[in-house]
Amino acid sequence: MNIKLGMVTLAAMMVLVGCSVVPGSNLTVGGKEIRVPATRSADINAMATVFPITPILLAQLQQQPAYMDKYRSTSAQQPYRYRIGSGDVLNIRVWNHPQLNVVTEANNTQGKQVSSGTWVDESGYLFYPLVGKIYVKGKTLPEVQTLLTARLARYLKQPQLDVNIAEFRSQNVTVTGAVKQSGQLSVTNVPMSLLDAIGLAGGFTEQADTNRIKWTRNGKEQTISLQDIVRRGDTAQNRLLGGGDIVYVPPREDAQVYVMGEVGKQSVLTMGNNGLNLTEALGKAEGMNQNLANATGVFVIRNQPLQTEGKPIHIYQLNLSDATAYAWGTQFALKPDDVVYVTAAPVVRWNRVLSQIMPSLTTAILLNNTLK
């Protein structure tokens, strides 16, 4: 009897440790030092906010950001004016005084000829006869004309001047990424918008993601959608570019959405230029598994930018127990790196627990019956 008891005990121990005696590698955190930054909670639940997908939420998500309205109002109030910079070459003519209009060779910092005219040096000054050196960097052409007229009036009676730019050299816009001709474009006295810059760069390549164009100014980046400009007529996104701006067009393969959980096919979907909505993503993943999925538990998990206020993880929940809610899913636009997750029904989760336990229980019962 003691032998039978010992064998049953041994069999039970083998069942309990069986999960650890499996092929392949394993990694445990037990006994290892675990460090959590003091400024960040280790509880992931404290980092997430859940938003049920409703018509009210969809209306809020479709609203333009506040900075769009601010940019639209300020750009409408301030007409474009080109401002002179170091390296620009000015053409200055004084009427009825040809001796002042002798063409000089403007040189760059290496002493090489670049153009005929009056060059603005690296410190922002230009030199003109009778006037001497004057600071013109950051000034408009009318301001320079007024300044020169006032200075020449000390020596000439009612001088009349014409000032224009012979060569624009001080300011550039960089266009790179999925465009046909990456490079730098000179900023001139003709306003250059975002679409103008892309056109001058030869247009988009076939791989371009036109929904996530990155515009960077003074180290601050904003994402601009060509589709919003073209389809919705949102001209506020067609930004007016200035010197030092960077326009980056990312390739489309970088914009992916992950569909996981109880769907027909676990999928990694590439977003097209027309975007991707939640219902479309579920359809491309062969829909919910009707035998396994919990229709109330369709979630979109999204990381928020670090500079945004609030919790860093937003979770959007769509209740598809009534299939009418698929209409809301068509209005919910996904973003790159979103995770669409469909949960399992409670009974399915319980059955999966049983499926893990039953083989071990069956083995123990068979051993016990054998030893009786």
Coordinates of all heavy atoms in Angstrom, one line a residue, residues 266-337:
Q266 N -4.5 36.4 -37.8 CA -3.7 37.5 -37.2 C -2.9 38.2 -38.3 O -2.3 37.5 -39.2 CB -2.7 36.8 -36.3 CG -3.3 35.8 -35.3 CD -3.9 36.5 -34.1 OE1 -3.4 37.5 -33.6 NE2 -5.0 36.0 -33.6
S267 N -3.0 39.5 -38.3 CA -2.5 40.2 -39.5 C -1.7 41.5 -39.1 O -1.9 42.1 -38.1 CB -3.6 40.7 -40.4 OG -4.4 39.6 -40.8
V268 N -0.7 41.8 -40.0 CA 0.0 43.1 -40.0 C -0.4 43.8 -41.2 O -0.1 43.4 -42.3 CB 1.5 42.9 -39.9 CG1 2.2 44.3 -39.9 CG2 1.9 42.2 -38.6
L269 N -1.2 44.9 -41.1 CA -1.8 45.6 -42.3 C -1.0 46.9 -42.6 O -0.7 47.6 -41.6 CB -3.2 45.9 -42.0 CG -4.1 44.7 -41.7 CD1 -5.6 45.2 -41.4 CD2 -4.1 43.6 -42.7
T270 N -0.7 47.1 -43.8 CA -0.1 48.3 -44.2 C -1.1 49.3 -44.6 O -2.0 49.0 -45.4 CB 0.9 48.1 -45.4 OG1 1.9 47.2 -45.0 CG2 1.5 49.4 -45.9
M271 N -1.1 50.5 -44.1 CA -2.1 51.5 -44.4 C -1.8 52.2 -45.7 O -0.7 52.5 -46.1 CB -2.1 52.6 -43.3 CG -2.4 52.1 -41.9 SD -2.4 53.4 -40.7 CE -3.8 54.3 -41.2
G272 N -2.8 52.3 -46.5 CA -2.7 53.0 -47.8 C -2.9 54.5 -47.6 O -3.1 55.0 -46.5
N273 N -2.8 55.2 -48.8 CA -2.9 56.7 -48.7 C -4.3 57.1 -48.4 O -4.5 58.3 -48.1 CB -2.4 57.3 -50.0 CG -0.9 57.3 -50.1 OD1 -0.2 57.4 -49.1 ND2 -0.4 57.1 -51.3
N274 N -5.3 56.2 -48.5 CA -6.6 56.6 -48.2 C -7.0 56.3 -46.7 O -8.1 56.4 -46.3 CB -7.6 55.8 -49.1 CG -7.5 56.3 -50.5 OD1 -7.3 57.4 -50.8 ND2 -7.7 55.3 -51.5
G275 N -6.0 55.8 -46.0 CA -6.2 55.5 -44.6 C -6.8 54.1 -44.4 O -7.0 53.4 -45.3
L276 N -7.1 53.8 -43.1 CA -7.6 52.5 -42.8 C -8.5 52.7 -41.6 O -8.1 53.3 -40.6 CB -6.5 51.5 -42.4 CG -6.8 50.1 -42.2 CD1 -7.3 49.4 -43.4 CD2 -5.6 49.3 -41.6
N277 N -9.8 52.2 -41.7 CA -10.7 52.3 -40.5 C -10.8 51.0 -39.8 O -10.3 49.9 -40.3 CB -12.0 52.9 -41.0 CG -12.8 52.0 -41.9 OD1 -13.0 50.8 -41.7 ND2 -13.1 52.5 -43.1
L278 N -11.4 51.0 -38.7 CA -11.5 49.8 -37.8 C -12.2 48.7 -38.5 O -11.8 47.5 -38.5 CB -12.1 50.2 -36.5 CG -12.3 49.0 -35.5 CD1 -11.0 48.3 -35.2 CD2 -12.9 49.6 -34.2
T279 N -13.4 49.0 -39.1 CA -14.2 47.9 -39.8 C -13.4 47.3 -40.9 O -13.4 46.1 -41.1 CB -15.5 48.5 -40.3 OG1 -16.2 49.0 -39.2 CG2 -16.3 47.5 -41.0
E280 N -12.7 48.2 -41.6 CA -11.9 47.7 -42.8 C -10.7 46.8 -42.3 O -10.5 45.7 -42.9 CB -11.3 48.9 -43.5 CG -10.5 48.5 -44.8 CD -10.0 49.7 -45.5 OE1 -10.1 50.9 -45.0 OE2 -9.5 49.6 -46.6
A281 N -10.1 47.1 -41.2 CA -9.0 46.3 -40.6 C -9.6 44.9 -40.2 O -8.9 43.9 -40.4 CB -8.4 47.0 -39.4
L282 N -10.7 44.9 -39.5 CA -11.3 43.6 -39.2 C -11.7 42.8 -40.4 O -11.4 41.5 -40.4 CB -12.6 43.8 -38.3 CG -12.4 44.4 -36.9 CD1 -13.7 44.8 -36.3 CD2 -11.6 43.4 -36.0
G283 N -12.1 43.4 -41.4 CA -12.5 42.7 -42.6 C -11.2 42.1 -43.3 O -11.2 40.9 -43.8
K284 N -10.1 42.8 -43.3 CA -8.9 42.3 -43.9 C -8.3 41.2 -43.1 O -7.5 40.4 -43.6 CB -7.9 43.4 -44.1 CG -8.3 44.4 -45.2 CD -7.2 45.5 -45.4 CE -7.5 46.4 -46.6 NZ -6.5 47.3 -46.9
A285 N -8.6 41.1 -41.8 CA -8.2 40.0 -40.9 C -9.2 38.9 -40.9 O -9.2 38.1 -40.0 CB -7.9 40.5 -39.5
E286 N -10.1 38.9 -41.9 CA -11.1 37.8 -42.1 C -12.1 37.8 -41.0 O -12.8 36.8 -40.6 CB -10.4 36.4 -42.2 CG -9.5 36.3 -43.4 CD -8.9 34.9 -43.5 OE1 -9.2 34.0 -42.6 OE2 -8.1 34.7 -44.4
G287 N -12.3 39.0 -40.4 CA -13.4 39.2 -39.4 C -13.2 38.6 -38.1 O -12.2 37.9 -37.8
M288 N -14.2 38.8 -37.2 CA -14.1 38.2 -35.9 C -14.4 36.7 -36.0 O -15.2 36.3 -36.9 CB -15.1 38.8 -34.9 CG -14.8 40.2 -34.4 SD -15.9 40.7 -33.1 CE -17.5 40.4 -33.8
N289 N -13.8 35.9 -35.2 CA -14.2 34.4 -35.1 C -15.5 34.3 -34.3 O -15.5 34.5 -33.1 CB -13.0 33.7 -34.4 CG -13.2 32.2 -34.5 OD1 -14.4 31.7 -34.4 ND2 -12.2 31.5 -34.8
Q290 N -16.6 34.0 -35.0 CA -17.9 34.0 -34.4 C -18.0 33.0 -33.3 O -18.9 33.1 -32.4 CB -18.9 33.8 -35.5 CG -19.0 34.9 -36.5 CD -19.4 36.2 -36.0 OE1 -20.2 36.3 -35.0 NE2 -18.8 37.3 -36.5
N291 N -17.2 31.9 -33.3 CA -17.3 30.9 -32.3 C -16.4 31.2 -31.1 O -16.7 30.6 -30.0 CB -16.8 29.5 -32.9 CG -17.7 29.1 -34.0 OD1 -18.9 29.2 -34.0 ND2 -17.0 28.5 -35.1
L292 N -15.5 32.1 -31.2 CA -14.6 32.3 -30.1 C -14.6 33.8 -29.6 O -14.3 34.0 -28.4 CB -13.1 32.0 -30.5 CG -12.9 30.6 -31.1 CD1 -11.4 30.4 -31.5 CD2 -13.2 29.5 -30.1
A293 N -14.9 34.7 -30.4 CA -14.7 36.1 -30.0 C -15.8 36.6 -29.1 O -17.0 36.2 -29.1 CB -14.7 37.0 -31.3
N294 N -15.4 37.6 -28.2 CA -16.4 38.3 -27.4 C -16.7 39.6 -28.2 O -15.9 40.5 -28.3 CB -15.8 38.6 -26.1 CG -16.7 39.4 -25.2 OD1 -17.8 39.7 -25.5 ND2 -16.2 39.8 -24.0
A295 N -17.9 39.7 -28.7 CA -18.3 40.8 -29.6 C -18.2 42.2 -28.8 O -18.1 43.2 -29.5 CB -19.7 40.6 -30.2
T296 N -18.3 42.1 -27.5 CA -18.3 43.4 -26.8 C -16.9 43.9 -26.5 O -16.6 45.0 -26.1 CB -19.0 43.3 -25.4 OG1 -18.3 42.3 -24.6 CG2 -20.4 42.7 -25.6
G297 N -15.9 43.0 -26.9 CA -14.5 43.3 -26.5 C -13.6 43.5 -27.7 O -12.6 42.8 -27.9
V298 N -14.0 44.5 -28.6 CA -13.1 44.8 -29.7 C -12.4 46.1 -29.4 O -13.0 47.2 -29.2 CB -13.9 45.0 -31.0 CG1 -13.0 45.5 -32.2 CG2 -14.7 43.7 -31.4
F299 N -11.1 46.1 -29.2 CA -10.3 47.2 -28.7 C -9.3 47.7 -29.7 O -8.8 46.9 -30.5 CB -9.6 46.8 -27.4 CG -10.5 46.4 -26.3 CD1 -10.8 45.1 -26.0 CD2 -11.1 47.4 -25.5 CE1 -11.6 44.7 -25.0 CE2 -11.9 47.0 -24.4 CZ -12.2 45.7 -24.2
V300 N -9.0 49.0 -29.7 CA -7.9 49.6 -30.4 C -7.0 50.2 -29.3 O -7.4 51.1 -28.5 CB -8.4 50.7 -31.3 CG1 -7.2 51.4 -32.0 CG2 -9.3 50.1 -32.4
I301 N -5.8 49.7 -29.3 CA -4.8 50.2 -28.3 C -3.8 51.1 -29.0 O -3.2 50.7 -30.0 CB -4.0 48.9 -27.7 CG1 -5.1 47.9 -27.1 CG2 -3.1 49.4 -26.6 CD1 -4.5 46.6 -26.8
R302 N -3.7 52.3 -28.4 CA -2.9 53.3 -29.1 C -2.0 54.0 -28.1 O -2.4 54.5 -27.0 CB -3.8 54.4 -29.7 CG -3.2 55.6 -30.4 CD -4.2 56.4 -31.1 NE -4.9 55.7 -32.1 CZ -6.0 56.2 -32.7 NH1 -6.6 57.3 -32.3 NH2 -6.6 55.4 -33.7
N303 N -0.7 54.2 -28.5 CA 0.3 55.0 -27.7 C 0.1 56.4 -28.1 O 0.0 56.8 -29.2 CB 1.7 54.5 -28.0 CG 2.1 53.2 -27.4 OD1 1.8 53.0 -26.2 ND2 2.7 52.3 -28.1
Q304 N 0.0 57.3 -27.1 CA -0.1 58.7 -27.3 C 1.3 59.3 -27.3 O 2.2 58.8 -26.7 CB -0.9 59.3 -26.1 CG -2.4 59.0 -26.2 CD -3.0 59.4 -27.5 OE1 -3.3 58.6 -28.3 NE2 -3.2 60.7 -27.6
P305 N 1.5 60.4 -28.1 CA 2.8 61.1 -28.1 C 3.2 61.5 -26.6 O 2.4 61.8 -25.8 CB 2.6 62.3 -28.9 CG 1.4 61.9 -29.8 CD 0.5 61.0 -29.0
L306 N 4.5 61.5 -26.4 CA 5.0 61.8 -25.0 C 4.6 63.2 -24.6 O 4.5 63.4 -23.4 CB 6.5 61.6 -25.0 CG 7.0 60.2 -25.3 CD1 8.5 60.2 -25.3 CD2 6.5 59.2 -24.2
Q307 N 4.5 64.1 -25.5 CA 4.2 65.5 -25.1 C 2.8 65.8 -24.8 O 2.4 66.8 -24.4 CB 4.7 66.5 -26.2 CG 4.0 66.4 -27.5 CD 4.7 65.4 -28.5 OE1 5.4 64.6 -28.0 NE2 4.5 65.6 -29.7
T308 N 1.9 64.7 -25.1 CA 0.5 64.9 -24.9 C 0.1 64.8 -23.4 O 0.7 64.1 -22.7 CB -0.3 63.9 -25.6 OG1 0.5 63.1 -26.4 CG2 -1.4 64.4 -26.4
E309 N -0.9 65.6 -23.0 CA -1.3 65.5 -21.6 C -2.1 64.2 -21.4 O -2.7 63.6 -22.3 CB -2.1 66.7 -21.3 CG -1.4 68.0 -21.3 CD -2.2 69.2 -20.9 OE1 -3.4 69.0 -20.6 OE2 -1.7 70.3 -20.9
G310 N -2.2 63.8 -20.1 CA -3.0 62.6 -19.8 C -2.1 61.3 -19.8 O -0.9 61.4 -19.9
K311 N -2.8 60.2 -19.8 CA -2.1 58.9 -19.7 C -1.6 58.5 -21.1 O -2.2 58.9 -22.1 CB -3.1 57.8 -19.2 CG -3.6 58.1 -17.7 CD -4.5 57.1 -17.2 CE -5.0 57.4 -15.8 NZ -5.9 56.4 -15.3
P312 N -0.5 57.8 -21.1 CA 0.2 57.5 -22.3 C -0.4 56.5 -23.2 O 0.0 56.3 -24.4 CB 1.6 57.1 -21.9 CG 1.4 56.5 -20.5 CD 0.3 57.3 -19.9
I313 N -1.4 55.7 -22.7 CA -2.0 54.6 -23.5 C -3.5 54.9 -23.5 O -4.2 55.1 -22.5 CB -1.8 53.3 -22.9 CG1 -0.3 52.9 -22.8 CG2 -2.5 52.2 -23.7 CD1 0.0 51.6 -22.1
H314 N -4.1 55.0 -24.8 CA -5.5 55.2 -25.0 C -6.1 53.9 -25.5 O -5.5 53.3 -26.5 CB -5.8 56.3 -25.9 CG -5.7 57.7 -25.2 ND1 -6.0 58.9 -25.8 CD2 -5.2 58.0 -24.0 CE1 -5.8 59.9 -25.0 NE2 -5.3 59.4 -23.9
I315 N -7.1 53.4 -24.9 CA -7.8 52.2 -25.4 C -9.2 52.5 -25.8 O -10.0 53.1 -25.0 CB -7.8 51.1 -24.3 CG1 -6.4 50.8 -23.9 CG2 -8.5 49.8 -24.8 CD1 -6.3 49.8 -22.7
Y316 N -9.6 52.2 -27.1 CA -10.9 52.5 -27.6 C -11.7 51.2 -27.8 O -11.1 50.3 -28.4 CB -10.8 53.3 -29.0 CG -10.0 54.6 -28.9 CD1 -8.6 54.6 -29.1 CD2 -10.7 55.8 -28.5 CE1 -7.9 55.8 -29.0 CE2 -10.0 57.0 -28.5 CZ -8.6 57.0 -28.7 OH -7.9 58.1 -28.6
Q317 N -12.9 51.2 -27.2 CA -13.6 49.9 -27.2 C -14.9 50.1 -28.1 O -15.7 51.0 -27.9 CB -14.1 49.6 -25.8 CG -14.9 48.3 -25.7 CD -15.3 48.0 -24.3 OE1 -15.1 48.8 -23.4 NE2 -15.8 46.8 -24.0
L318 N -15.0 49.1 -29.0 CA -16.2 49.0 -29.9 C -17.0 47.8 -29.5 O -16.5 46.7 -29.5 CB -15.8 48.9 -31.3 CG -16.9 48.9 -32.3 CD1 -17.7 50.2 -32.3 CD2 -16.4 48.7 -33.8
N319 N -18.3 48.0 -29.2 CA -19.2 46.9 -28.8 C -20.0 46.5 -30.0 O -20.8 47.2 -30.5 CB -20.2 47.4 -27.7 CG -21.1 46.3 -27.2 OD1 -21.1 45.2 -27.8 ND2 -21.8 46.6 -26.1
L320 N -19.6 45.3 -30.5 CA -20.2 44.8 -31.7 C -21.3 43.7 -31.5 O -21.6 42.9 -32.3 CB -19.1 44.2 -32.7 CG -18.3 45.2 -33.4 CD1 -17.2 44.5 -34.2 CD2 -19.1 46.1 -34.3
S321 N -21.8 43.7 -30.2 CA -22.9 42.7 -29.9 C -24.1 43.1 -30.8 O -24.9 42.2 -31.2 CB -23.3 42.8 -28.4 OG -23.6 44.1 -28.1
D322 N -24.2 44.3 -31.1 CA -25.2 44.7 -32.2 C -24.4 45.1 -33.4 O -23.6 46.0 -33.4 CB -26.0 45.9 -31.7 CG -27.1 46.3 -32.7 OD1 -27.0 45.9 -33.9 OD2 -28.0 47.1 -32.3
A323 N -24.5 44.3 -34.5 CA -23.7 44.5 -35.7 C -23.9 45.9 -36.3 O -23.0 46.3 -37.1 CB -24.1 43.4 -36.7
T324 N -24.9 46.6 -35.9 CA -25.0 48.0 -36.4 C -23.8 48.9 -36.1 O -23.5 49.8 -36.8 CB -26.3 48.7 -35.8 OG1 -27.4 47.8 -36.0 CG2 -26.6 50.0 -36.5
A325 N -23.1 48.5 -35.0 CA -22.0 49.3 -34.6 C -20.8 49.2 -35.6 O -19.9 50.0 -35.5 CB -21.5 48.8 -33.2
Y326 N -20.9 48.3 -36.5 CA -19.9 48.3 -37.6 C -19.9 49.7 -38.3 O -18.8 50.1 -38.9 CB -20.1 47.2 -38.6 CG -19.5 45.9 -38.2 CD1 -20.4 44.8 -37.9 CD2 -18.2 45.7 -38.2 CE1 -19.8 43.6 -37.5 CE2 -17.6 44.4 -37.8 CZ -18.4 43.4 -37.5 OH -17.9 42.2 -37.2
A327 N -21.0 50.3 -38.4 CA -21.1 51.6 -39.0 C -20.2 52.6 -38.3 O -19.6 53.5 -38.9 CB -22.5 52.1 -39.0
W328 N -20.1 52.5 -36.9 CA -19.2 53.4 -36.2 C -17.8 53.0 -36.5 O -16.9 53.9 -36.5 CB -19.5 53.3 -34.7 CG -20.8 53.8 -34.3 CD1 -21.7 54.5 -35.0 CD2 -21.5 53.6 -33.0 NE1 -22.8 54.8 -34.4 CE2 -22.8 54.2 -33.1 CE3 -21.2 52.9 -31.9 CZ2 -23.7 54.2 -32.1 CZ3 -22.1 52.9 -30.8 CH2 -23.3 53.5 -30.9
G329 N -17.5 51.7 -36.7 CA -16.2 51.3 -37.0 C -15.7 51.9 -38.3 O -14.5 52.1 -38.4
T330 N -16.5 52.1 -39.2 CA -16.1 52.7 -40.5 C -15.7 54.1 -40.4 O -15.0 54.7 -41.2 CB -17.2 52.6 -41.6 OG1 -18.4 53.3 -41.1 CG2 -17.6 51.2 -41.8
Q331 N -16.1 54.8 -39.3 CA -15.8 56.2 -39.0 C -14.6 56.3 -38.1 O -14.1 57.5 -37.9 CB -17.0 56.9 -38.4 CG -18.2 56.9 -39.3 CD -19.4 57.6 -38.6 OE1 -19.3 58.8 -38.1 NE2 -20.5 57.0 -38.6
F332 N -14.1 55.2 -37.5 CA -13.0 55.3 -36.6 C -11.7 55.1 -37.4 O -11.4 53.9 -37.8 CB -13.1 54.3 -35.5 CG -12.1 54.4 -34.4 CD1 -12.3 55.2 -33.3 CD2 -10.9 53.7 -34.5 CE1 -11.3 55.3 -32.3 CE2 -9.9 53.9 -33.6 CZ -10.1 54.7 -32.5
A333 N -11.0 56.1 -37.6 CA -9.7 56.0 -38.4 C -8.6 55.5 -37.6 O -8.3 56.0 -36.5 CB -9.4 57.4 -39.0
L334 N -7.9 54.5 -38.0 CA -6.8 54.0 -37.3 C -5.5 54.8 -37.6 O -5.4 55.5 -38.6 CB -6.5 52.5 -37.7 CG -7.7 51.5 -37.4 CD1 -7.4 50.2 -37.9 CD2 -7.9 51.5 -35.9
K335 N -4.5 54.7 -36.7 CA -3.3 55.4 -36.9 C -2.1 54.3 -36.9 O -2.3 53.2 -36.5 CB -3.0 56.4 -35.8 CG -4.0 57.5 -35.7 CD -3.7 58.5 -34.6 CE -4.6 59.7 -34.6 NZ -4.3 60.7 -33.6
P336 N -1.0 54.7 -37.5 CA 0.1 53.8 -37.6 C 0.5 53.3 -36.2 O 0.4 54.0 -35.2 CB 1.3 54.6 -38.2 CG 0.5 55.6 -39.0 CD -0.7 56.0 -38.3
D337 N 0.8 52.0 -36.1 CA 1.2 51.3 -34.8 C 0.0 51.1 -33.9 O 0.2 50.6 -32.8 CB 2.3 52.1 -34.1 CG 3.6 52.2 -34.9 OD1 3.9 51.2 -35.6 OD2 4.3 53.2 -34.8

